[in-house]
Amino acid sequence: MLFRSVIMLAARLTRWKGAEDLIDAADRLRAMRGDDFLILLVGEDNAGGFETTLRKRIGKLGLGEIVRLAGGCSDMAAAYKLASVVVSASTEPEAFGRSVVEAQSMSRPVIATDHGGARETVAHGSTGWLYPPGDIARLTIELNKALNLDPSERAHMGMAARARIHSRYTVAATQRATLDVYETRSEEHTSELQSH
């Protein structure tokens, strides 16, 4: 039986989350690698109708054995453990991008569009890769790069991702950073008052 690496996109099935870009990249990646990978689109079609659009695109490109729509998931921690790499292909900037942070906290490298919150939550080349939104050629290159990692390299990148997320995005780290902002503002205000 052929081992297939799992590429996961965990997001609602809406146009701006970039599933179409990932499907198009899968077509290019198949030309490079054959069928040694599986793409799982994990999420629900809350608006209705877009799932049909995706299924048609998958069928048109003959990717039915490579791209699967998995539907919603109630245990994302278990789902992330299946993934070799997690993709966030949003075509519009996200303020934070929860799936990017969740995947890294589960020691998974990520590929994300280079805008919005991903610019802060992904350390390019260390915890994952960033690529220009809508650049399917570059997404394909980054996917191939991720799949070419040997298990040790992938584990090392995953550990770096987890450590970075746990040092910056836990509740305690967020509270500490917020209090630091308040303290800095308070000191600036006090200094300003003293100078008058």
Side-chain angles (χ1 to χ4, degrees):
M1 180 173 192
L2 173 69
F3 170 78
R4 300 206 295 176
S5 298
V6 174
I7 299 165
M8 181 180 295
L9 185 139
R12 289 184 316 278
L13 298 183
T14 56
R15 189 169 304 279
W16 73 275
K17 290 290 189 171
E20 291 172 296
D21 287 354
L22 183 56
I23 291 167
D24 290 346
D27 188 42
R28 292 178 180 212
L29 193 60
R30 176 180 56 180
M32 297 166 66
R33 305 182 64 90
D35 62 353
D36 72 341
F37 65 97
L38 175 67
I39 293 182
L40 293 179
L41 302 178
V42 180
E44 296 178 352
D45 184 1
N46 295 336
F50 192 59
E51 182 175 342
T52 302
T53 300
L54 294 177
R55 288 190 187 283
K56 285 179 182 175
R57 191 179 208 105
I58 291 165
K60 179 182 175 187
L61 295 172
L63 293 172
E65 293 301 313
I66 291 177
V67 181
R68 306 281 173 84
L69 279 77
C73 179
S74 61
D75 188 353
M76 284 308 298
Y80 288 129
K81 286 189 176 268
L82 294 173
S84 300
V85 63
V86 175
V87 175
S88 173
S90 299
T91 58
E92 298 174 22
E94 295 192 55
F96 187 64
R98 191 177 76 207
S99 67
V100 172
V101 174
E102 288 175 346
Q104 290 180 93
S105 75
M106 295 299 299
S107 302
R108 294 303 180 257
V110 297
I111 299 171
T113 44
D114 188 9
H115 59 187
R119 285 184 172 164
E120 292 182 32
T121 59
V122 178
H124 182 75
S126 174
T127 68
W129 300 271
L130 296 169
Y131 74 97
D135 188 338
I136 294 163
R138 182 70 181 275
L139 173 57
T140 305
I141 290 167
E142 301 304 352
L143 287 167
N144 193 50
K145 195 182 298 182
L147 297 183
N148 281 337
L149 293 176
D150 68 37
S152 175
E153 292 170 319
R154 184 173 291 120
H156 181 75
M157 184 172 265
M159 287 186 296
R162 181 176 172 85
R164 188 168 190 273
I165 293 304
H166 283 268
S167 72
R168 294 175 179 228
Y169 300 105
T170 62
V171 172
T174 303
Q175 289 170 336
R176 193 171 47 251
T178 302
L179 291 173
D180 286 348
V181 169
Y182 288 142
E183 187 174 307
T184 300
R185 291 287 185 197
S186 176
E187 289 171 1
E188 289 172 357
H189 183 69
T190 301
S191 176
E192 190 175 295
L193 288 173
Q194 289 173 347
S195 67
H196 290 293

